[in-house]
Amino acid sequence: SHNTYLTGDQLQGISSAEQYSYVLQKGCRCVEIDCWDGAFNIPDGNPGTEPIVTHGNTFCSKILFKDVIQVLKESAFAHPANNPYPVIISIEMHCSHDFQKRMWEICRDILGDMLLILDPDVDKMGMEALPSPEKLKHKIIIKGKRGMQTKAGEDEEKESLSETSSNDGDSMFGALEKSRSGRKADDAVPATDPNWAMLPYLWAIKFTGFHNPGHAHQMSSFGESRVRKLVDAERTREHFVTYNKKQFSRIYPKGSRVDSSNLNPITSWAVGCQMVALNYQTGDAPMSLNFGKFLENNQFGYVLKSPYLRGTGHRMEPLILRVTVLSCQRLPNNNNSRDIIDPYVKLDLHGVGSDNKQGLYKTRTVLDNGFNPVFNNGRGET
């Protein structure tokens, strides 16, 4: 989920802790929290020492970090979804040292043993393979920075407000990149508090190229436009597949999607990217594709990649798909019209390259029957 706390657009949308419960119950297993220093009565009731969650340098409303963590504890594995698989919290850190320490206290006190902490030996030696989600049930994993940060502009977690692709209209955010305190996006950001630094299990690191792979618990985020360029070029596409066999990658929308529209996740899935951050408040076609993808595992948020994308098998041979349309049931009419509709079914194929075909097939039209139309006298159309 991208900017999970938002219920509307990216510039003046309302932030809500309950949005985390909504996406978790929908099967999402990776949520995002943008953390900032709080101030007195921002939001109301803040004594001035509580970190806040908001889309920085915009007009989006603000909520308390501790309220978000409380909702995560109560909703991550709760009824009715009863999803036992681990939840990843992607932290976009903008807090100063003292507020980071307060964040550590909140996570320690509220989440407690639910947190998955990296073993000190692994911390020093690195990890060659991550545990299976089956072994991490009912655990919460924090993804974030662990060490000193230099410039915010070098942090891949700047997300949609800093993806520098002028062709995508991202330059419109130039004025928004200054905070109300006057700090620019390329100014130095605070060092990581030593207590907080021990919490991230997944380390967010700057991507420096496919020639410099990291350990399994180190991962990078990629903007939508950058992914498209990497996938379009055959050489880098294969490198990307290899990278995703060992390390996680998280894909986020380009900055011009201020309306909270969604990127097409299939492009990223096709090269093995594990986390494609979508705006769950927008029920568009990419969101429908996401729900369809994870129906494979009862909407539990984890599905196994193909053997080729896992590095355990060869490329898939071309497949021939045969779809038979039998019938429809109780189709609604458009615009509250009293007319009886004449339904038909149109088939689209969603994929990459030649596998992406819209309007691939259209059935015959059944006249005057929106209640229970059948095709080819019940034998179906293939």
Side-chain angles (χ1 to χ4, degrees), residues 281-292:
Q281 69 271 38
T282 304
D284 52 11
M287 196 72 249
S288 296
L289 291 172
N290 187 72
F291 283 133

Side-chain angles (χ1 to χ4, degrees), residues 82-102:
N82 294 322
N83 188 341
Y85 288 100
V87 171
I88 298 171
I89 303 176
S90 179
I91 297 289
E92 184 176 323
M93 180 64 76
H94 301 274
C95 287
S96 60
H97 195 280
D98 289 343
F99 282 90
Q100 290 181 39
K101 183 178 180 181
R102 177 61 184 140

Side-chain angles (χ1 to χ4, degrees), residues 145 148-156 158 185-189:
K145 293 280 187 178
M148 176 75 74
Q149 306 197 20
T150 52
K151 292 184 177 181
E154 295 178 0
D155 183 358
E156 81 282 359
K158 280 301 292 178
D186 58 355
D187 286 343
V189 295

